[in-house]
Amino acid sequence: MHLVISVCLATFTGFSRAASAPSQLYSPLVAQKLLTTAQSVPNNPIQYPQYTSSDNGQWQYFPADYWTTGFLPASCYAMYTRFNSLCPNSSAANEFLELGRSLSTGEVPLEAYTTVGHDVGFLSFPFVDEAAVDKSNQTATTAVNTFATLLADRFNPIVGCTRSWDTSDPTNFQVIIDNMMNLQVLFDSEALTGNTTLRNIAMSHADKTMQNHVRPDGSSYHLVEYNSTTGAVIWRGTVQGYADNSTWTRGQAWGIYGFANSLCHDLDLIVAVYRNTQQTRYLDTSRQMASFYISQIPSDGIVPWDFNAPLDPPRPADSSAAMIATVGLLMLSQQEASLSPSNTSGAEYWNNAAIKLLSDNTEFAWKPEWQSLLSNGTVNNRDSPPNNLTGITYGDYYFVEAGNQLISMGLASCSSSNSTSPAPSSSQSPHHTSGAVRARRLWW
């Protein structure tokens, strides 16, 4: 069971026990920027930030029917968690909770119609958070269950997976590594309803991903195409990475996180493949993918868009991939610690790896003058023109989550940071009159 960890400890020795979390995680700018962004979203109809301009760091806004919509309200809930329990500040906690709730309202119509396909799991994030805050909130429960049903409807028992992208040819069944992240809504809904079919779908999808996306060395394909009538694999490759045989770093991070995710909310909303199932094959897969990830990080510590992209011309970084992998490594550490007997050396290794990854990439991407928390994210380097050197809403979300995880694990302290500084109140913000803040809370 501990073979992969033993190999890691023998091979990778660049992580110091003295590693410490970057101070930027708990800078007052984190609360201030997120508050301003949340209060500034366009309304009528509501739009959500996805990425910034690479020129000036200003957020670019998109309609609600997009897979990234849930990250800003989920970031508000993450800040509520920080100020409610980790670094107590009741006024800041209440302000972020209200913003998370009001911003989530714009997602409600997506329960009836959405084009995001498998990514309904990402849309569910703020509703799962609200269910943890208020167990009696039926609207949040309905949203989680509805999004889970939409994902379950995309399951093909012959293939054994949920379909990611729709295609004009129904026999071409496409599955991307990202979909590992959406499985959590199936577990969430199972916890609420007792519907074990949802768990079976999630496990089947994870098994097929482990079998067909993950290479023997722990790297991963972005996309696997199946024949929907036979279940046979017909092609493996990439859409957002450098080449079909390369490793797109954000996809690799989704895999680490998706197999190891051990976050557990109130209401016993357990949202992990391994934690839900106690199947060690998922833990071993996360270890294998994490080991590969760490082995490929360049000497400067900065995560590139694709590990195999050439150095000339210079390949862009992807801070969002680094943040996702950081949280995945911290979750993997928690899983090691929870084993019986506890794998303390493995837990310590992943902790140190996560903190170094976080520190290096925060130092590189932190840009106080931008509206986003981080810069140097790559949305899609294969767009025309390439969409890189940006701030990205999910990169910011996992940056905040990393800060919360470190505090909850005892690896960072509010008392030694500025994290307990009050968030600016709405009355102090020049954006207080934005439509999103004025909107009535229609369902909370």
Side-chain angles (χ1 to χ4, degrees):
M1 179 178 295
H2 303 313
L3 174 62
V4 174
I5 296 300
S6 299
V7 172
C8 288
L9 292 171
T11 305
F12 310 122
T13 58
F15 304 111
S16 168
R17 291 176 181 269
S20 59
S23 61
Q24 294 95 330
L25 279 174
Y26 310 110
S27 165
L29 277 176
V30 173
Q32 291 167 8
K33 283 188 176 187
L34 284 173
L35 187 70
T36 300
T37 298
Q39 293 176 331
S40 302
V41 296
N43 205 22
N44 296 320
I46 192 169
Q47 297 182 59
Y48 293 86
Q50 183 187 159
Y51 54 81
T52 68
S53 164
S54 60
D55 296 326
N56 55 23
Q58 302 292 300
W59 282 118
Q60 307 298 298
Y61 291 88
F62 294 82
D65 191 17
Y66 203 78
W67 75 273
T68 58
T69 290
F71 285 107
L72 179 59
S75 294
C76 290
Y77 278 102
M79 293 303 292
Y80 163 75
T81 296
R82 180 174 297 187
F83 288 123
N84 183 60
S85 58
L86 300 175
C87 311
N89 180 319
S90 59
S91 61
N94 291 336
E95 188 158 27
F96 276 109
L97 179 60
E98 291 300 304
L99 284 167
R101 288 171 165 171
S102 64
L103 288 169
S104 299
T105 305
E107 287 195 57
V108 172
L110 302 181
E111 297 172 44
Y113 175 78
T114 180
T115 64
V116 303
H118 68 109
D119 281 324
V120 289
F122 287 115
L123 297 182
S124 75
F125 282 10
F127 300 100
V128 173
D129 291 335
E130 176 60 29
V133 174
D134 181 2
K135 296 177 176 63
S136 66
N137 191 309
Q138 289 302 307
T139 306
T141 298
T142 297
V144 173
N145 291 335
T146 299
F147 287 134
T149 298
L150 290 172
L151 181 58
D153 288 344
R154 301 179 69 82
F155 181 71
N156 180 324
I158 298 174
V159 174
C161 289
T162 56
R163 184 191 292 269
S164 294
W165 295 328
D166 295 328
T167 57
S168 57
D169 178 0
T171 64
N172 183 8
F173 194 99
Q174 297 187 338
V175 180
I176 56 175
I177 188 73
D178 317 40
N179 213 2
M180 282 300 301
M181 297 294 294
N182 289 295
L183 300 184
Q184 75 175 52
V185 73
L186 300 176
F187 290 123
D188 292 341
S189 185
E190 183 210 7
L192 292 167
T193 65
N195 183 357
T196 57
T197 298
L198 299 175
R199 171 193 293 257
N200 294 336
I201 290 173
M203 289 181 64
S204 175
H205 185 99
D207 285 339
K208 286 293 185 177
T209 301
M210 185 170 56
Q211 176 183 342
N212 294 317
H213 275 83
V214 182
R215 303 181 183 111
D217 65 355
S219 64
S220 60
Y221 294 100
H222 176 207
L223 172 65
V224 175
E225 293 183 350
Y226 297 85
N227 183 303
S228 64
T229 60
T230 67
V233 173
I234 57 178
W235 184 77
R236 293 180 177 93
T238 193
V239 174
Q240 288 184 251
Y242 170 69
D244 290 339
N245 62 349
S246 70
T247 301
W248 176 50
T249 57
R250 191 160 72 241
Q252 187 77 7
W254 291 138
I256 297 168
Y257 188 122
F259 281 108
N261 182 2
S262 62
L263 282 178
C264 180
H265 301 278
D266 291 338
L267 255 185
D268 293 326
L269 295 183
I270 301 172
V271 296
V273 173
Y274 169 67
R275 186 65 173 270
N276 264 280
T277 63
Q278 295 298 302
Q279 299 296 317
T280 57
R281 64 185 183 275
Y282 302 138
L283 179 57
D284 289 337
T285 300
S286 183
R287 288 168 170 166
Q288 185 185 26
M289 296 188 76
S291 297
F292 179 86
Y293 197 100
I294 293 167
S295 74
Q296 299 300 303
I297 298 173
S299 59
D300 62 6
I302 307 306
V303 172
W305 145 67
D306 188 296
F307 283 131
N308 302 107
L311 301 179
D312 187 18
R315 58 188 181 182
D318 188 3
S319 58
S320 74
M323 298 304 115
I324 296 161
T326 292
V327 179
L329 291 172
L330 293 174
M331 293 175 179
L332 184 53
S333 169
Q334 293 174 70
Q335 297 295 2
E336 302 288 4
S338 70
L339 294 174
S340 182
S342 176
N343 184 4
T344 54
S345 61
E348 183 176 310
Y349 174 77
W350 299 125
N351 282 341
N352 287 330
I355 292 172
K356 185 176 190 305
L357 177 65
L358 177 63
S359 298
D360 288 343
N361 287 273
T362 297
E363 187 67 28
F364 176 71
W366 179 256
K367 188 160 286 192
E369 66 272 22
W370 278 26
Q371 291 182 342
S372 58
L373 301 179
L374 300 176
S375 64
N376 285 99
T378 295
V379 177
N380 190 344
N381 203 56
R382 294 180 65 162
D383 275 351
S384 183
N387 192 347
N388 54 37
L389 304 177
T390 70
I392 306 177
T393 185
Y394 41 89
D396 284 2
Y397 169 74
Y398 289 108
F399 177 78
V400 174
E401 277 294 309
N404 286 0
Q405 285 289 305
L406 287 169
I407 294 173
S408 67
M409 295 170 70
L411 300 174
S413 172
C414 298
S415 62
S416 62
S417 69
N418 293 319
S419 59
T420 54
S421 300
S425 66
S426 296
S427 61
Q428 296 171 322
S429 171
H431 302 284
H432 176 57
T433 57
S434 79
V437 176
R438 291 198 312 268
R440 291 174 57 84
R441 291 190 284 115
L442 301 177
W443 50 281
W444 296 109

